[in-house]
C-alpha cells in the first residue's frame, strides 16, 4: 500500500458535502436515542445513541474525504463502516456493558450499509478479527490515517466511560480483539436470547432510520403531531344514529365500543390484548377510539405519544380501511397528510406530506414513508413482521418505530398456523422489550395467544355471538359436486331468485369457468368476477361497482376467490362457499347479511366442488393444492353430520377447529433462528406469501394511459446514463401506478416466458378480458423488473 497520508483534523471532516462529520454524528445519535420510546428496554436507547456516534466516524480518513470532495476514487481504504465498528468495539470495552450489548453495537455500526446476512451474531466480529491479523490489513492503514487524538477527545465528552481509556492505537485495538472476552466459545454464547436480538434490531433500526432521514432532510428536525382523542366520537356522531333502536345491530356495536374502551382503560399497562367480536361488529372504529384514548393517557404521562400501527392481511382491505380512517380525521378538520395518517404497502405511493412540505417519492418522501414517520400507520402483516423477521435494511429500518407502539393486528386468523408458536414468542418478547402493546382482532380467535397470555377487550364476547342470528350455514359439502354441475344448479336457482348472491371459489380458473357459464346462461343479470386474474386497478373498480349495485338493490351475482373474505365490506343475502378451512368459511359467512339488512336469515351454502373428469364425474377437489389436507380434515370433523349451523354457534365451532389444527400442525420456529442470529435461516423459513416458481408477471395494456406508462417504464429501464440505483429512485415516482396494471399468472413449461421479467400483454378477447381478467398468452415484448 502507498504511504499513509497526513490525518485531517477530526473537527474539519465532513459526513456529506457541507455537513461537518461531528455534527452529523451528534444529531443522528441524539435523534436515534430520542426515537426510542420511554417504556422500551434502556439498553436499546443506549445502543441507538452509541451507534449514532460511531456509525460514520470511519469517514474521517483522508481517503473518504478525498472521495467525498471528488478528489479521489472509491477504494477499500475509503470504506468506513468496519473502521467505525472497530472503534465502537474498542471504546465499548470501557463502558459498563455486557458482552451481548457490545456485540450488538459492533454489528449495528458494521452493517448500517448492508444486510444482516449471516448465520450467527458472532460472525461479523470473528471476520474482523481475522482480517486485522493480516499483515496488509486495510484497517491498520486506515487507523494510522485518523486523527485519533481529536476523535478521542470528542468521544470522551459524549461517552460515560466507567474505566480510564487512553488514545487508541493499532496494538491496543488488536489486543482488545484477541482478549479472553472475545474467545470464540464465549462470543458465541453472547447475544443468544430473543430479548437481546430484538434489542439489537430496534437500536439498529433507529440508527438506520435517523441516519437516512437526517441525510435526506439535510439535518432538519421533524416534529411529532397531535391526534384528537375524540376523533372517532365525532365521526360516529356524523355517520351513525345517535340513539339506535335497542335491539338493532347498531345498538350492539355501540355497546361493544363502550365495553372495549372501558376495558382497555382499566388495563392501560397490559402488553397483550385480544378483541374477539362477530364480523361486522365495528371492531375497527371501536378499537381505534380506545387506542386514541390510551395514546392520550400515555402522552400525558411520558410526554411522548405512542404511534398506532394498524395491520391487515391484504392491500385491498388496507385501501378500504385507510379510507375510513381518512374520514375519521376529516371529521376533526384534519387533512390526511402522511405525517398524521400513513398507508404503507408494496403498492402504496411514496409521496409524503406534512404541514409545511411535500416530499417526492424519488427522494425524502420514500424514506419518510418507509420508516413510518407518522402518528397512525396502516400497513400489512408482511411489512410489520418483516420489520423483525428479515435480514434486509429496507425492512429493519422500521424496527425502532415499534418501541412503545400500539400495534393492532386485524383479521389475525390470516396469519399462517405454522408460525403461531413463533409469533406468540415474538409478540410477547417485543411487548416486554419494546414497551409495545399488541392487540389481536378477529371474529374467530386463533390460538396465537394461549389462555392467560392476554386481556380480552370484550369479556362478554360469547354473549354477543350467541345473540346474533344473521346467517345460517347449510352443509352440502359431504357429497362432491363437479363445478359444471354446481353451475347448473346455480343457474336453475338464480332463474327464480332475484336476491344478490356471492359465490366464493378456491381457484382463479374456477372463477373464470363459472363466470363464463353464468354469463351465457343468465343474460341480462348483473354479473361480476373478482380474482387476482384482474389487475389491482380493475379489482378496485369491480369492488366499487359491486358496492354501487348493492346500494341500488340490483340482483348482482359475484363470483370471486378468497380475496373477498377478510375485511372487505360487502354484504349479500346469499353466499355460496367452496370447501375450505373453517376459519375461511366463517369469514365468507361474514359477507352474508353483514349489517342485518336482509329480511330474515341470510343463507350460506357450503359445497365441495371438484374438477370435471372426462366421464363428467367429480375429479380432484378444488381445495387441493390450495389448502393443507389436514386443515380440511379438521374442518370436516368439526362440522360433522349436521345439516346446518347458526351464527350463534360460530365461535364455539371456530374454537374447536383451532384446537384441532394446533394438535396437527408442525410449527416453524423462526423466533429461535432470530435469537441466535441466523438471519439467513429466518429469511428462508418465514414467508407470509408463498412464492410460486410457475408465476410470471404481466403488465396489462388496456387503455392509452397504460401504454404511456409502459413506455415510460421502458425508457427508464433502457436509459444508459442511469445507474441501477438511480433507475430505482426514478421508478418510485410511478411505481404504484405501474404495479396496479400488473398481474401474476401461472404458465406451463415451454411457453417461452422469462419468469424473471415483467412481460407486456395487450388486452383483448384472447388475452385479458375486461370483465374476468387474464385469459391466455402470447407475449409481445418484455422488460426487466426494478
Amino acid at each position: 500500500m502507498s504511504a499513509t497520508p497526513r490525518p485531517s483534523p477530526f473537527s474539519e471532516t465532513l459526513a456529506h458535502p457541507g455537513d461537518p462529520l461531528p455534527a452529523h454524528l451528534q444529531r443522528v445519535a441524539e435523534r436515534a436515542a430520542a426515537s426510542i420510546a420511554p417504556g422500551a428496554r434502556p439498553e436499546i436507547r443506549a445502543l441507538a445513541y452509541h451507534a449514532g456516534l460511531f456509525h460514520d466516524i470511519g469517514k474521517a480518513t483522508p481517503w473518504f474525504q478525498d472521495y467525498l470532495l471528488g478528489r479521489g476514487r472509491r477504494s477499500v481504504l475509503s470504506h468506513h463502516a468496519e473502521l467505525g465498528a472497530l472503534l465502537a468495539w474498542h471504546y465499548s470495552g470501557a463502558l459498563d456493558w455486557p458482552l451481548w450489548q457490545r456485540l450488538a453495537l459492533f454489528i449495528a455500526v458494521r452493517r448500517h450499509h448492508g444486510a444482516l446476512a449471516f448465520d450467527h451474531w458472532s460472525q461479523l466480529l470473528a471476520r474482523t478479527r481475522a482480517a486485522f491479523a493480516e499483515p496488509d490489513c486495510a484497517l491498520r492503514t486506515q487507523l494510522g490515517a485518523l486523527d485519533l487524538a481529536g476523535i478521542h477527545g470528542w468521544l470522551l465528552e459524549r461517552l460515560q466511560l466507567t474505566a480510564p481509556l487512553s488514545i487508541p492505537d493499532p496494538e491496543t485495538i488488536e489486543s482488545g480483539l484477541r482478549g479472553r472476552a472475545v474467545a470464540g466459545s464465549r462470543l458465541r454464547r453472547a447475544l443468544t436470547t430473543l430479548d437481546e436480538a430484538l434489542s439489537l434490531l430496534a437500536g439498529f433500526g433507529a440508527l438506520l432510520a435517523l441516519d437516512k432521514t437526517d441525510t435526506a432532510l439535510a439535518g432538519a428536525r421533524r416534529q411529532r403531531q397531535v391526534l384528537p382523542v375524540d376523533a372517532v366520537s365525532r365521526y360516529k356522531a356524523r355517520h351513525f344514529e345517535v340513539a339506535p333502536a335497542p335491539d338493532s345491530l347498531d345498538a350492539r356495536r355501540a355497546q361493544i365500543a363502550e365495553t372495549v374502551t372501558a376495558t382497555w382503560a382499566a388495563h392501560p399497562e397490559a402488553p397483550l390484548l385480544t378483541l374477539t367480536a362477530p364480523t361486522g361488529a365495528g371492531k375497527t372504529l371501536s378499537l381505534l377510539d380506545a387506542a386514541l384514548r390510551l395514546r392520550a393517557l400515555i402522552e400525558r404521562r411520558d410526554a411522548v405519544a405512542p404511534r398506532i400501527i394498524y395491520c391487515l392481511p391484504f392491500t385491498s382491505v388496507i385501501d378500504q380501511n385507510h379510507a375510513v380512517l381518512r374520514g375519521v380525521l376529516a371529521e376533526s378538520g384534519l387533512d390526511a397528510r402522511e405525517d398524521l395518517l400513513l398507508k404503507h404497502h408494496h403498492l402504496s405511493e411514496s409521496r409524503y406530506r406534512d404541514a409545511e412540505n411535500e416530499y417526492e417519492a424519488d427522494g425524502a418522501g420514500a424514506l419518510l414513508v418507509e420508516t413510518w414517520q407518522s402518528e397512525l400507520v396502516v400497513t400489512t402483516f408482511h411489512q410489520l413482521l418483516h420489520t423483525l423477521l428479515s435480514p434486509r435494511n429496507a425492512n429493519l429500518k422500521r424496527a425502532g418505530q415499534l418501541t412503545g407502539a400500539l400495534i393492532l393486528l386485524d383479521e389475525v386468523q390470516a396469519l399462517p398456523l405454522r408460525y403461531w408458536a413463533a409469533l406468540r414468542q415474538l409478540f410477547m418478547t417485543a411487548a416486554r422489550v419494546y414497551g409495545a402493546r399488541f392487540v389481536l382482532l378477529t371474529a374467530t380467535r386463533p390460538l396465537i395467544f394461549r389462555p392467560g397470555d392476554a386481556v380480552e377487550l370484550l369479556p362478554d364476547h360469547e354473549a354477543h355471538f350467541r345473540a346474533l342470528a344473521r346467517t345460517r350455514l347449510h352443509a352440502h359439502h359431504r357429497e362432491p359436486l363437479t363445478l359444471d354441475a354446481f353451475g347448473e344448479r346455480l343457474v336453475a336457482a338464480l332463474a327464480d331468485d332475484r336476491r344478490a348472491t356471492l359465490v366464493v371459489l378456491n381457484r382463479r380458473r374456477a372463477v373464470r369457468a363459472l363466470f363464463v357459464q353464468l354469463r351465457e346462461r343468465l343474460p341480462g343479470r348483473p354479473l361480476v368476477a373478482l380474482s387476482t386474474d384482474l389487475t389491482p386497478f380493475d379489482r378496485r373498480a369491480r369492488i366499487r361497482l359491486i358496492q354501487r349495485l348493492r346500494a341500488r338493490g340490483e340482483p348482482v351475482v359475484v363470483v370471486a376467490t378468497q380475496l373477498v373474505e377478510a375485511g372487505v365490506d360487502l354484504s349479500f343475502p346469499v353466499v355460496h362457499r367452496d370447501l375450505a378451512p373453517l376459519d375461511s368459511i366463517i369469514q365468507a359467512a361474514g359477507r352474508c347479511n353483514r349489517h342485518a339488512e336482509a329480511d330474515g336469515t341470510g343463507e350460506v351454502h357450503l359445497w365441495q366442488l371438484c374438477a370435471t373428469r372426462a366421464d363428467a364425474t367429480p375429479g380432484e377437489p378444488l381445495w387441493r393444492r390450495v389448502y393443507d389436507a389436514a386443515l380440511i380434515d379438521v374442518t370436516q370433523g368439526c362440522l360433522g353430520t349436521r345439516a346446518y349451523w347458526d351464527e350463534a354457534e360460530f365461535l364455539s365451532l371456530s374454537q374447536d377447529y383451532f384446537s384441532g389444527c394446533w394438535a396437527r400442525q408442525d410449527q416453524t420456529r423462526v423466533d429461535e433462528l432470530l435469537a441466535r442470529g441466523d438471519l439467513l435461516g429466518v429469511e428462508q423459513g418465514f414467508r407470509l406469501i408463498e412464492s410460486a416458481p410457475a408465476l410470471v408477471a404481466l403488465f396489462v395494456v388496456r387503455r392509452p394511459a397504460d401504454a404511456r406508462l409502459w413506455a415510460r417504464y421502458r425508457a427508464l429501464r433502457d436509459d444508459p446514463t442511469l445507474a441501477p440505483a438511480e433507475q430505482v429512485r426514478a421508478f418510485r415516482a410511478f411505481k404504484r401506478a405501474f404495479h396496479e396494471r400488473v398481474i401474476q399468472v401461472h404458465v406451463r413449461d415451454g411457453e417461452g416466458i422469462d419468469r424473471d421479467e415483467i412481460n407486456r400483454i395487450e388486452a383483448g378477447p384472447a388475452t385479458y378480458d375486461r370483465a374476468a381478467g387474464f385469459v391466455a398468452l402470447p407475449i409481445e415484448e418484455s422488460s426487466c423488473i426494478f
Side-chain angles (χ1 to χ4, degrees), residues 48-324:
Y49 176 76
H50 289 82
L53 290 181
F54 285 99
H55 77 287
D56 277 353
I57 209 164
K59 289 182 174 180
T61 65
W63 297 282
F64 185 88
Q65 294 298 302
D66 286 346
Y67 162 72
L68 185 68
L69 298 174
R71 299 194 299 254
R73 301 177 66 181
R74 191 182 282 273
S75 71
V76 67
L77 292 175
S78 68
H79 296 174
H80 69 276
E82 189 169 20
L83 180 60
L86 192 66
L87 291 172
W89 177 260
H90 175 75
Y91 279 93
S92 67
L95 296 170
D96 188 20
W97 280 15
L99 183 57
W100 77 263
Q101 195 173 355
R102 294 186 64 198
L103 182 57
L105 176 62
F106 179 89
I107 292 169
V109 176
R110 177 68 182 86
R111 299 304 295 169
H112 75 279
H113 285 302
L116 301 183
F118 39 74
D119 56 22
H120 198 280
W121 295 120
S122 64
Q123 257 187 5
L124 280 179
L125 186 58
R127 291 173 188 170
T128 297
R129 182 170 54 189
F132 205 79
E134 297 295 326
D136 59 347
C137 173
L139 288 172
R140 288 180 181 273
T141 305
Q142 288 177 304
L143 280 171
L146 285 177
D147 175 18
L148 290 173
I151 290 173
H152 186 71
W154 185 81
L155 286 172
L156 289 182
E157 295 177 2
R158 290 156 180 82
L159 300 177
Q160 300 296 319
L161 299 182
T162 58
L165 197 64
S166 60
I167 299 173
D169 56 59
E171 288 70 28
T172 58
I173 287 177
E174 182 172 18
S175 176
L177 279 175
R178 296 190 173 281
R180 288 190 302 171
V182 291
S185 60
R186 184 174 180 186
L187 194 62
R188 289 184 68 86
R189 291 195 300 271
L191 225 171
T192 55
T193 70
L194 193 56
D195 292 57
E196 294 163 353
L198 292 188
S199 297
L200 161 58
L201 295 183
F204 183 51
L207 167 66
L208 296 177
L210 272 298
D211 180 32
K212 294 177 185 298
T213 55
D214 180 81
T215 302
L217 300 177
R221 181 183 292 273
R222 302 204 68 263
Q223 300 296 324
R224 295 290 303 274
Q225 303 298 310
V226 175
L227 293 177
V229 67
D230 60 346
V232 175
S233 299
R234 295 185 188 185
Y235 178 82
K236 286 184 173 180
R238 175 72 177 270
H239 293 273
F240 295 91
E241 293 184 39
V242 177
D247 296 328
S248 67
L249 184 58
D250 282 342
R252 186 164 300 280
R253 288 168 174 159
Q255 182 183 354
I256 288 172
E258 182 179 347
T259 303
V260 168
T261 299
T263 305
W264 207 352
H267 300 84
E269 303 303 324
L272 305 175
L273 307 102
T274 57
L275 173 53
T276 310
T279 56
K283 293 189 294 293
T284 299
L285 289 177
S286 297
L287 193 59
L288 178 62
D289 184 51
L292 287 172
R293 296 180 188 280
L294 181 64
R295 170 187 156 100
L297 176 67
I298 295 172
E299 185 175 16
R300 288 194 297 271
R301 184 190 67 193
D302 297 340
V304 178
R307 283 182 171 82
I308 299 174
I309 302 174
Y310 181 62
C311 310
L312 288 149
F314 308 119
T315 57
S316 58
V317 187
I318 285 181
D319 292 339
Q320 172 184 289
N321 281 268
H322 179 266
V324 173

Side-chain angles (χ1 to χ4, degrees), residues 283-284 309-325 343-345 377-385 407-415 439 441 566-568 688-689:
K283 293 189 294 293
T284 299
I309 302 174
Y310 181 62
C311 310
L312 288 149
F314 308 119
T315 57
S316 58
V317 187
I318 285 181
D319 292 339
Q320 172 184 289
N321 281 268
H322 179 266
V324 173
L325 299 182
K343 177 170 60 174
H344 181 229
H345 54 73
V377 179
V378 187
T379 189
T380 60
F381 292 165
H382 183 278
Q383 298 292 346
L384 172 74
L385 293 173
I407 302 171
L408 321 178
L409 291 95
D410 201 351
E411 307 290 358
V412 73
Q413 76 286 338
L415 290 169
V439 188
L441 296 78
V568 179
L688 287 180
I689 303 172

Side-chain angles (χ1 to χ4, degrees), residues 46 48 65-66 98 166 246 249 270 321 332 419 452 611 632-633 641 650 721 784:
Q65 294 298 302
D66 286 346
S166 60
L249 184 58
N321 281 268
S332 294
Y419 299 129
I632 300 298
D633 289 344
T641 60
F650 286 179
T721 67
C784 297

